[in-house]
Amino acid sequence: MRKNPKRWSEWLQQTVFVGPGLVFFLLIVVAPFFMGFYYTFTEWNGLDPANAKWTGLNNLQWVFTDDSRFWLSFWFTTRFMIVSVVLTNAAAFTLALMLNRRLKTRNVLRTVFFLPNVIGGLLLGYIWYFIFVRGFGTLGEKTGFGWFELSWLGTPNTAFWGIVIVFVWQTAGYMMIIYIAALVGVPKELLEAAKIDGASRGQVLRSVIVPLIMPAITVCLFLTSSNAFKMFDLNLSLTSGGPGYASESIALNIYREGLVNNRYGLGTAKAMIFFIAVAAITVTQVLITKKREVEA
């Protein structure tokens, strides 16, 4: 039986272009995920897989009943995620509205606001650490403003807001680009029709622009919420979870459990709980915002 040359050509193209990516995805993402699922139920130091001892639900029982530090980091990460998502998207949307106008310098300003996203998280964290500790301290001495003289990374409350400030500063520019792309796609005819009907700027924004850019809002909320929940590098470089463990994120807690304390079984158990929480929150957010999307 002869093979169809066209179908054979399509199969070959799919294999050549999709095959390598699929293989790497299976090796880098899928295989480690199932291995982590297995090690969730073991006691393992991370060195010799043969020494992994099956312990059943002991790790999960420990996390849910005795590990108060994990739930402290979970509560910190949840608060951080909520505040960061709101502030990042509010700042990004405001910048997008401002830079979507016909300004001579709008391209330069877009580049300036986007640049913080290019800087790596660890490097950015160390830069802001210097700003908080040395820069603000010097400004406080020169100006006498109490806001600059705060111990920004030295107390639980100020450390929380310090990380929020850096996260928003780094992420808002990227979300701004997504919002700008959505605003450019809003039909001018609808905006002109709304103005002719006597709608104010606020009414146009609320009733025309926002419903039409809901796909962009869905994407931005998803990205900011998942990135905020997985925040690790800024936390490590700015506060290292301090003072004490008051500003320790879940990702940093898992890292220390597995790579510092060499308790990989317990670390993977926490990682699985973390994965389920992030998946539940992000899927719920996407489903809710998807229902509010409309077509132009």
Side-chain angles (χ1 to χ4, degrees):
M1 182 176 179
R2 295 181 61 186
K3 295 184 178 180
N4 189 328
K6 184 176 180 181
R7 293 186 60 184
W8 172 256
S9 176
E10 291 178 354
W11 182 86
L12 182 62
Q13 291 176 14
Q14 293 174 4
T15 303
V16 170
F17 290 105
V18 180
L22 179 61
V23 170
F24 281 110
F25 177 78
L26 293 175
L27 291 176
I28 297 174
V29 178
V30 177
F33 175 81
F34 284 104
M35 290 175 61
F37 184 78
Y38 167 76
Y39 287 122
T40 297
F41 306 99
T42 65
E43 180 181 345
W44 183 42
N45 61 5
L47 299 177
D48 186 4
N51 292 332
K53 179 182 178 183
W54 183 266
T55 58
L57 298 176
N58 287 357
N59 289 331
L60 296 175
Q61 182 179 359
W62 165 262
V63 173
F64 281 105
T65 58
D66 298 317
D67 197 346
S68 58
R69 178 177 159 187
F70 174 78
W71 296 108
L72 179 65
S73 65
F74 190 93
W75 170 237
F76 170 83
T77 307
T78 303
R79 289 188 297 120
F80 173 80
M81 185 269 295
I82 295 173
V83 174
S84 298
V85 167
V86 173
L87 294 181
T88 299
N89 284 278
F93 186 64
T94 302
L95 291 173
L97 287 175
M98 294 172 57
L99 299 181
N100 195 43
R101 299 177 180 179
R102 295 181 178 178
L103 301 175
K104 292 183 179 179
T105 58
R106 67 178 182 177
N107 291 332
V108 175
L109 292 174
R110 289 176 182 178
T111 304
V112 170
F113 287 123
F114 180 78
L115 276 178
N117 187 261
V118 179
I119 306 175
L122 280 174
L123 178 60
L124 189 67
Y126 288 124
I127 292 172
W128 273 91
Y129 179 88
F130 177 82
I131 293 173
F132 281 130
V133 175
R134 299 291 183 88
F136 280 8
T138 303
L139 288 174
E141 294 177 1
K142 300 295 183 180
T143 61
F145 289 152
W147 189 82
F148 289 117
E149 294 178 341
L150 292 174
S151 178
W152 275 98
L153 304 178
T155 67
N157 190 44
T158 54
F160 171 83
W161 287 107
I163 300 174
V164 168
I165 290 171
V166 180
F167 181 87
V168 172
W169 187 77
Q170 180 188 27
T171 312
Y174 185 83
M175 303 304 149
M176 174 196 71
I177 299 298
I178 298 176
Y179 282 126
I180 289 175
L183 290 172
V184 171
V186 175
K188 304 299 181 183
E189 298 82 5
L190 294 179
L191 299 178
E192 293 174 358
K195 293 178 182 178
I196 292 173
D197 290 339
S200 63
R201 289 186 178 180
Q203 291 173 328
V204 171
L205 177 64
R206 183 176 63 256
S207 302
V208 180
I209 295 178
V210 171
L212 291 177
I213 66 168
M214 277 305 297
I217 295 176
T218 300
V219 171
C220 289
L221 289 177
F222 172 79
L223 291 175
T224 50
S225 58
S226 60
N227 289 340
F229 240 122
K230 297 183 295 184
M231 184 267 302
F232 169 79
D233 43 11
L234 291 179
N235 194 201
L236 179 64
S237 55
L238 281 171
T239 65
S240 294
Y245 303 110
S247 65
E248 183 180 61
S249 66
I250 297 180
L252 183 57
N253 181 275
I254 294 172
Y255 162 78
R256 285 173 169 167
E257 195 70 74
L259 297 178
V260 177
N261 298 334
N262 289 331
R263 293 189 290 193
Y264 276 69
L266 188 57
T268 51
K270 292 182 178 182
M272 285 297 161
I273 297 173
F274 181 38
F275 167 77
I276 294 172
V278 173
I281 292 173
T282 52
V283 169
T284 302
Q285 171 262 306
V286 169
L287 291 176
I288 292 174
T289 52
K290 274 286 185 181
K291 293 179 180 179
R292 302 179 63 88
E293 294 182 6
V294 298
E295 294 183 1

